[in-house]
Amino acid sequence: LVAEDSEVTFEPPRSKDGISDEMKDMLVCVTGYSGIRRHAMRELVGRTGARYSGTLNKNCTHLICYKYEGEKYKTARKWQSACGTPSIVNHRWVEDCIRAWTYISEPVYEDKCGEEADRDAPIPLHELVRLEVENSVSQEEDSEAEDEPRSGRYAAGRASRGGVPGA
């Protein structure tokens, strides 16, 4: 997959193993997408190295939402309030991970549902890199301040976020 202006197009993936080991720990569910778009989301998730689940369950680390509504969304919000997972994001998160070919932390993708994200142009690749560097530095500073090592960017990002989308 490669970026072509504002769209992620299908080509052979850069690696059959996905983006990183960190993505392999993720289980992603999708809601609100149908037909070819749902199929594309499933394919993109797989290309990152993450696993796809057709049903939302407590092992899911991410819920990609087209709209912040419906049973899966309500259930995910309840679980998120109780235990911090899953991250609730729009489709641009997985698309941008593919475009940048790296794990990108979730906060920038939590504010808008997929329907709202479709109205905006994708974040330019150089801006994605800048945002991720800033986020990594911020997480390192948080980790040093707590004097507690963390197991990875994904675990650190989830632990440091306080906001809940759609609140």
Side-chain angles (χ1 to χ4, degrees):
L1 297 175
V2 294
E4 185 174 79
D5 293 331
S6 65
E7 294 188 28
V8 176
T9 57
F10 289 93
E11 278 192 6
R14 295 182 194 183
S15 166
K16 65 180 176 59
D17 297 325
I19 292 172
S20 68
D21 287 340
E22 190 167 28
M23 297 296 285
K24 290 178 184 168
D25 293 335
M26 297 178 188
L27 181 61
V28 180
C29 185
V30 173
T31 187
Y33 297 88
S34 60
I36 192 76
R37 192 125 190 232
R38 184 177 194 85
H39 177 75
M41 286 292 102
R42 183 179 184 155
E43 179 71 18
L44 290 173
V45 166
R47 297 225 178 167
T48 67
R51 294 169 293 129
Y52 175 86
S53 175
T55 50
L56 181 66
N57 63 66
K58 290 196 175 193
N59 294 321
C60 289
T61 59
H62 293 76
L63 178 63
I64 299 175
C65 292
Y66 188 69
K67 292 184 178 181
Y68 287 154
E69 63 185 27
E71 288 307 309
K72 282 184 182 178
Y73 173 71
K74 290 175 187 171
T75 301
R77 284 289 305 270
K78 187 178 353 172
W79 292 345
Q80 192 180 58
S81 294
C83 62
T85 59
S87 292
I88 302 171
V89 296
N90 64 58
H91 58 275
R92 290 281 169 87
W93 172 71
V94 73
E95 291 172 357
D96 287 349
C97 287
I98 294 285
R99 286 175 51 225
W101 200 249
T102 189
Y103 161 78
I104 298 179
S105 53
E106 298 83 353
V108 73
Y109 305 98
E110 294 174 332
D111 293 336
K112 294 181 179 180
C113 66
E115 182 179 46
E116 295 167 319
D118 276 345
R119 295 182 198 130
D120 297 337
I123 300 170
L125 200 52
H126 69 277
E127 183 70 10
L128 285 176
V129 172
R130 185 187 65 75
L131 288 169
E132 194 55 28
V133 167
E134 286 176 4
N135 187 52
S136 294
V137 168
S138 172
Q139 288 176 11
E140 286 174 15
E141 289 171 354
D142 289 348
S143 181
E144 288 172 8
E146 293 171 7
D147 208 27
E148 211 174 280
R150 297 211 175 139
S151 60
R153 286 188 295 175
Y154 178 66
R158 186 175 336 173
S160 67
R161 276 199 311 277
V164 177

